[in-house]
């Protein structure tokens, strides 16, 4: 074909086919990248939701631990208060026990003095009965325990006053013991 020179004859399908194939390849690459990024995005969204769930669980655990810690701290304060009250009560009981122990010791000492007085009076009475001495000849000594002054006083009756001595000795005698008369 003879050309007028205006245009050359072109091959009829080569130009647009290469262009179409190039565009198809670009679309395939873009689609693959879009699909790959969408998949990664979905995985990241799934990881974010897992992390958020773990965060919620951690916050709940922290709140529970803080509440438990506060409860335990209150229990410790209560136990410390109870311990202090018990310590004060124990100190009071110890003091009362010491006071009662002192009183018991004084009463025991007083009782032993009274027993020794009763025993001396009984011995003096037995000696007087055994020796058949006249009442005016016996000398008896009576010890009187003065609980206010905490000392022993010696009382010697005047001669011939045996009735007073016997009366004083009987006043020291335990009413539960049998009399010597």
């Amino acid at each position: 074909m003879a050309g007028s020179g205006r245009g050359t004859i072109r091959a009829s399908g080569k130009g647009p086919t290469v262009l179409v194939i190039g565009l198809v390849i670009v679309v395939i690459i873009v689609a693959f990248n879009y699909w790959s990024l969408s998949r990664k995005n979905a995985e990241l969204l799934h990881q974010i939701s897992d992390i958020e769930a773990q965060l919620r669980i951690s916050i709940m655990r922290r709140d529970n631990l803080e509440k438990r810690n506060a409860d335990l701290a209150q229990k410790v304060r209560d136990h410390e208060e109870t311990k202090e009250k018990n310590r004060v009560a124990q100190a009071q009981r110890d003091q009362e026990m010491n006071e009662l122990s002192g009183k018991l010791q004084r009463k025991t000492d007083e009782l032993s003095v009274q027993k020794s007085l009763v025993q001396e009076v009984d011995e003096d009475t037995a000696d007087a009965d055994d020796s058949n001495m006249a009442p005016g000849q016996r000398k008896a000594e009576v010890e009187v325990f003065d609980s206010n002054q905490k000392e022993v006083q010696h009382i010697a009756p005047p001669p011939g006053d045996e009735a007073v001595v016997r009366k004083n000795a009987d006043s020291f005698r335990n009413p539960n013991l049998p009399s010597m008369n």
Side-chain angles (χ1 to χ4, degrees), residues 60-138:
M60 287 183 352
R61 285 182 182 169
R62 185 194 68 198
D63 291 344
N64 289 338
L65 288 175
E66 287 176 354
K67 183 179 178 183
R68 183 175 178 209
N69 188 24
D71 290 343
L72 290 174
Q74 181 63 36
K75 284 182 181 180
V76 166
R77 284 191 295 274
D78 292 344
H79 285 296
E80 286 176 353
E81 290 174 5
T82 303
K83 180 182 172 184
E84 183 63 26
K85 288 178 184 178
N86 288 342
R87 188 189 63 76
V88 168
Q90 181 66 33
Q92 289 175 347
R93 283 192 297 270
D94 288 345
Q95 183 181 4
E96 290 174 5
M97 191 170 91
N98 289 337
E99 290 174 2
L100 291 175
S101 178
K103 286 180 181 179
L104 178 63
Q105 184 63 38
R106 287 191 295 274
K107 293 295 183 179
T108 303
D109 293 344
E110 187 177 324
L111 181 62
S112 64
V113 167
Q114 295 297 330
K115 284 182 180 180
S116 66
L117 287 175
V118 168
Q119 186 178 5
E120 287 178 18
V121 169
D122 287 345
E123 289 173 1
D124 288 345
T125 305
D127 289 343
D129 289 342
D130 289 343
S131 65
N132 289 328
M133 296 178 99
Q137 294 175 343
R138 283 194 306 214

Side-chain angles (χ1 to χ4, degrees), residues 9-53:
I9 301 177
R10 295 200 276 153
S12 63
K14 281 189 178 179
T17 328
V18 173
L19 185 63
V20 170
I21 292 175
L23 285 176
V24 169
I25 290 173
V26 169
V27 169
I28 289 173
I29 291 172
V30 169
F32 176 76
N33 286 337
Y34 177 79
W35 173 78
S36 176
L37 289 176
S38 294
R39 188 176 45 93
K40 284 183 181 179
N41 188 28
E43 287 175 5
L44 291 174
L45 288 175
H46 183 67
Q47 287 178 354
I48 288 173
S49 65
D50 288 345
I51 290 172
E52 286 176 347

